[in-house]
Amino acid sequence: MTKRVFSGVQPTGNIHIGNYLGALKQFVQLQDDNDCIYCIVDLHAITVPKDPKILRENILDVAALYLAVGLDPEKSIIFVQSDVSGHAELAWILMCNAYTGELSRMTQFKDKSRNSESAPTGLFAYPVLMAADILLYDSDVVPVGNDQKQHIELTRDLAIRVNNKYGDDTFVVPEGRFLKEGARIMALDDPTAKMSKSAENPLSRISLLDDDAKIKKAIMKSTTDSDGLIRFDLENKPGVSNLLTIYSVFSGTPIADLEKQYEGIGYGTFKNDLVEVTSGALAPIRKRFEEIRLSGELIDTLKDGAERANEAAEIVMRRVRNKFGLGVR
Ligand code: AMP
Ligand code: TRP
């Protein structure tokens, strides 16, 4: 049976190899055998104030990247969140069923709000909007990186809670899909922190659109350790383990084979080879991105996607309004 797959990426610039290896790669793998919907979640992006012009550019950048990594609008629905009003509507309904206690425990909220009384309410409600995104399409499977595990659990809790109150067939209870390798790529300058779009040091990440010189600099300067052994050991050698993971997923060579191949060889050679592997993987994405971004077809693709997404969303929204006794239309 084909499954409904849903996922989203925030249009915040600096889409990096963590986003690619943890999430986007899965999106592409899933699109042949499933009914996939991929969203650019602009409403999530404004939890932190954004310059409207830059936000608009970032939305088109993510759309072009979706296509550049291999998503095909003939196979998958690709659209922008705020073009389908059901997301915000369902988020409100779910907020009325989410507990302030459970939202206070979300680690992403705790990290970003830092106990400040002036943290925006949207930052607090962010995971509920994410749950709405997923439940709005009767999604079965949600491919994401490890950092989203807690949000997926909350989505499942909310779906089950509403089903218990309003009827079992209100929502489909979704499952997260996490990769064994690549689900958590770490920062290159600090392998104890995850690679992020917003970290201050640009050498902490490799963005998908970085040129060869930047890729080289970030990898050559990456933090390792002093024992000189190329061995996968997350606890004692987080830096080398992270590089091995990146090498393995870009090259398709199992980590155990890489460990053998680099036995007795120093970090310099290993890093040089990783530069080549990474540059080789990203160059075609960069080239396709430039072509697609300039082609002028992007807006039409997104409009068409929004239309199809809206149709799918309305089916669920009609059911949900009906279950809750909302509206009279
Ligand atoms: P975001 O940039 O927060 O919109 O994330 C988009 C997708 O990339 C989500 O599925 C994240 O879980 C995933 N992701 C973000 N950072 C990483 C990382 N360092 N390693 C693996 N996956 C990640
Ligand atoms: N919160 C996700 C992130 O920061 C992005 C996101 C929003 C998402 N809505 C979603 C991911 C729905 C999967 C499904 O990465």
Side-chain angles (χ1 to χ4, degrees):
M1 228 183 67
T2 56
K3 295 207 161 156
R4 170 60 60 78
V5 173
F6 182 94
S7 196
V9 173
Q10 293 190 56
T12 34
N14 291 333
I15 304 278
H16 51 69
I17 59 172
N19 299 126
Y20 177 63
L21 299 175
L24 294 170
K25 224 179 111 193
Q26 299 199 65
F27 296 6
V28 180
Q29 288 167 351
L30 287 164
Q31 72 174 346
D32 285 325
D33 301 318
N34 300 278
D35 176 9
C36 296
I37 305 182
Y38 296 121
C39 186
I40 298 151
V41 291
D42 56 348
L43 293 172
H44 279 96
I46 61 166
T47 47
V48 177
K50 290 275 151 35
D51 177 310
K53 285 206 186 77
I54 296 176
L55 179 59
R56 173 96 186 174
E57 293 303 309
N58 286 344
I59 289 172
L60 297 177
D61 283 350
V62 174
L65 266 178
Y66 271 178
L67 302 179
V69 299
L71 290 184
D72 176 354
E74 302 274 318
K75 294 181 187 161
S76 302
I77 296 179
I78 298 168
F79 77 107
V80 182
Q81 186 182 33
S82 58
D83 283 334
V84 176
S85 58
H87 292 259
E89 184 182 357
L90 185 57
W92 175 258
I93 294 172
L94 291 174
M95 264 187 258
C96 296
N97 289 275
Y99 306 139
T100 52
E102 64 192 345
L103 297 185
S104 312
R105 284 192 293 274
M106 294 289 121
T107 51
Q108 188 170 308
F109 172 69
K110 286 196 277 188
D111 288 350
K112 294 202 172 166
S113 67
R114 296 218 183 83
N115 278 329
S116 158
E117 293 246 331
S118 53
T121 307
L123 202 59
F124 186 62
Y126 175 109
V128 184
L129 178 59
M130 173 163 165
D133 298 341
I134 296 167
L135 301 180
L136 185 58
Y137 297 96
D138 284 343
S139 312
D140 302 296
V141 180
V142 186
V144 278
N146 267 358
D147 61 338
Q148 297 302 313
K149 259 193 183 147
Q150 206 184 21
H151 292 160
I152 301 284
E153 270 317 301
L154 176 80
T155 303
R156 291 170 54 83
D157 289 346
L158 289 176
I160 292 167
R161 188 176 306 154
V162 169
N163 284 355
N164 285 339
K165 268 194 223 160
Y166 295 90
D168 265 353
D169 52 346
T170 310
F171 290 128
V172 171
V173 182
E175 272 178 45
R177 185 177 191 271
F178 311 93
L179 292 176
K180 276 209 190 72
E181 270 173 16
R184 191 172 173 80
I185 299 293
M186 309 309 282
L188 295 175
D189 61 339
D190 173 9
T192 60
K194 71 169 183 178
M195 186 176 285
S196 96
K197 291 170 174 170
S198 55
E200 237 165 77
N201 180 5
L203 295 180
S204 67
R205 64 184 159 259
I206 296 175
S207 297
L208 291 187
L209 301 175
D210 279 347
D211 60 23
D212 289 344
K214 159 77 198 303
I215 294 172
K216 181 163 188 183
K217 199 165 172 199
I219 291 177
M220 296 316 284
K221 279 190 161 243
S222 64
T223 303
T224 48
D225 52 51
S226 56
D227 80 4
L229 301 174
I230 294 164
R231 200 162 45 77
F232 190 88
D233 176 349
L234 275 181
E235 200 165 310
N236 302 307
K237 298 172 66 62
V240 173
S241 303
N242 190 41
L243 296 181
L244 274 168
T245 301
I246 296 170
Y247 198 138
S248 170
V249 279
F250 273 135
S251 66
T253 313
I255 288 180
D257 293 5
L258 291 173
E259 288 175 328
K260 267 192 219 117
Q261 185 181 328
Y262 285 99
E263 220 175 285
I265 295 175
Y267 290 161
T269 310
F270 172 66
K271 283 181 169 180
N272 263 319
D273 291 355
L274 178 58
V275 170
E276 250 176 64
V277 165
T278 308
S279 284
L282 298 188
I285 294 177
R286 211 160 55 223
K287 183 161 173 280
R288 279 198 297 274
F289 172 86
E290 302 294 347
E291 289 162 8
I292 294 162
R293 189 67 171 79
L294 296 173
S295 78
E297 284 167 26
L298 214 44
I299 301 273
D300 286 338
T301 302
L302 292 173
K303 279 188 185 162
D304 176 63
E307 221 165 278
R308 290 156 66 202
N310 199 48
E311 267 171 39
E314 260 315 299
I315 295 171
V316 178
M317 274 322 298
R318 249 179 262 134
R319 186 174 76 223
V320 172
R321 287 186 209 110
N322 192 28
K323 291 273 187 192
F324 278 78
L326 292 165
V328 294
R329 272 206 299 155

